[in-house]
Amino acid sequence: MSEPATREVTRARIEAAALELFAERDFDAVTADELADAAGISRRTFFRHFATKADAVWGDFHAHVVRLQELLAATSEDQPVLASICAAYVEVNDYPGADLPLLRERMRLILTEPALQAHSQVRYADVDRVVAEHVARRTGCRPDSLVPRLVALSTRAAATTAFEAWLAGEGSLADDLHAAFDQLAGGFPTLR
């Protein structure tokens, strides 16, 4: 197995072990040493892959942000702004069925664990930046002006709410994302 493939397998094993331990016990009660033991690696190897326990929960979130940015950059000028953001959010969050149980546990932790909620703000700032830049390109505004920032925060809130609804029910994540964005679209008539 190549070095990058081995690295990905190890990261996935650490993430799975972390999510399992955090589901069994309180996030704060689990140590990095216990995570390393559960994943069958050394403490040093754990920290080579993840800087913190919270990073093990988030996994490779940066790759999702990069994918969102690429999808938004590739949208057609003919597609309405909110529709382009919704389509990108849905595609970035299109997980194979086999990955959904792990995703459910990851999102349950991210959305309910106080220690992770503070960490979330740093992660979500990257999403907000990417969406605000997309809106700015499409509307001719600066990314830090009102509408791009408002759309970035509102669409992330819609996506987060869709994840919460999905966790609470048995429906489809894509359906919940579409429903949330459809509701949001009614509030932004200038972007339709």
Side-chain angles (χ1 to χ4, degrees):
M1 196 179 296
S2 71
E3 177 66 29
T6 302
R7 183 168 175 74
E8 288 304 311
V9 167
T10 302
R11 281 183 66 91
R13 196 168 72 232
I14 295 168
E15 288 175 33
L19 292 172
E20 185 176 323
L21 277 177
F22 296 144
E24 292 171 4
R25 298 181 19 221
D26 184 59
F27 176 84
D28 290 326
V30 177
T31 67
D33 288 329
E34 291 171 316
L35 293 174
D37 288 344
I41 58 169
S42 69
R43 175 184 171 85
R44 183 177 173 156
T45 299
F46 174 84
F47 285 113
R48 235 183 276 138
H49 290 275
F50 298 102
T52 67
K53 295 186 309 183
D55 292 325
V57 173
W58 278 91
D60 192 5
F61 188 74
H62 177 73
H64 293 284
V65 174
V66 169
R67 178 126 169 82
L68 180 67
Q69 187 171 29
E70 292 169 350
L71 290 167
L72 291 172
T75 60
S76 166
E77 291 294 321
D78 297 340
Q79 188 177 30
V81 175
L82 282 177
S84 67
I85 296 167
C86 176
Y89 262 107
V90 170
E91 191 165 333
V92 165
N93 290 293
D94 185 18
Y95 294 87
D99 293 350
L100 292 179
L102 198 60
L103 178 64
R104 278 185 181 278
E105 187 54 34
R106 181 185 313 273
M107 291 309 299
R108 184 194 65 73
L109 281 164
I110 288 169
L111 294 171
T112 62
E113 178 58 49
L116 290 170
Q117 288 174 341
H119 195 263
S120 298
Q121 295 312 308
V122 174
R123 302 293 181 137
Y124 291 149
D126 289 336
V127 172
D128 295 345
R129 177 188 49 78
V130 165
V131 172
E133 288 170 354
H134 172 68
V135 175
R137 275 192 310 275
R138 294 289 302 276
T139 62
C141 297
R142 290 186 337 269
D144 64 347
S145 61
L146 180 93
V147 171
R149 291 175 58 205
L150 179 61
V151 172
L153 291 171
S154 300
T155 54
R156 179 171 47 85
T160 300
T161 303
F163 266 100
E164 290 170 343
W166 174 67
L167 288 172
E170 296 297 323
S172 154
L173 177 56
D175 289 346
D176 287 336
L177 284 166
H178 280 292
F181 280 102
D182 288 347
Q183 291 295 317
L184 189 61
F188 293 99
T190 60
L191 298 178
R192 282 189 226 145

